[in-house]
Amino acid sequence: VTVFSVSQQDSFYYIAMEFIDGKSIDEICQEFAMPSREAVPLFLQMVNGLIALHSKNIIHRDLKPQNIFYQKDNRIKILDLG
């Protein structure tokens, strides 16, 4: 997910991120079983996202289906980097 800013207001810290129009992989898996021909490309997007994070020395530490969103444009976004 694109992070626009990390900031503080008084004693409150926040992260401003883009709005994601889609559903978590967890929600999708509860609704229906995705055929492998559709799941494999999404899995590869997830792997590429993790490679991009690791190339910047970022370790997610809480990667799970609830933190991976599938957008309406068939793209994957990895969330919860805070």
Side-chain angles (χ1 to χ4, degrees):
V1 67
T2 301
V3 175
F4 296 118
S5 70
V6 177
S7 194
Q8 175 185 0
Q9 179 67 39
D10 300 321
S11 62
F12 179 73
Y13 293 88
Y14 65 91
I15 300 172
M17 297 179 278
E18 70 179 300
F19 171 76
I20 305 296
D21 189 11
K23 293 183 177 185
S24 72
I25 294 296
D26 182 55
E27 291 173 299
I28 291 170
C29 288
Q30 289 180 24
E31 292 175 8
F32 66 93
M34 185 178 288
S36 60
R37 70 180 179 281
E38 294 177 29
V40 169
L42 299 181
F43 179 75
L44 293 174
Q45 283 187 59
M46 289 181 245
V47 170
N48 287 329
L50 289 173
I51 289 170
L53 288 171
H54 290 179
S55 73
K56 298 182 184 308
N57 294 320
I58 299 170
I59 299 173
H60 192 288
R61 298 178 60 125
D62 192 24
L63 193 64
K64 57 189 174 187
Q66 295 90 335
N67 292 336
I68 301 169
F69 265 62
Y70 179 59
Q71 300 182 112
K72 292 183 178 182
D73 64 0
N74 300 326
R75 291 182 7 173
I76 290 291
K77 291 284 185 163
I78 300 172
L79 286 78
D80 198 11
L81 297 170

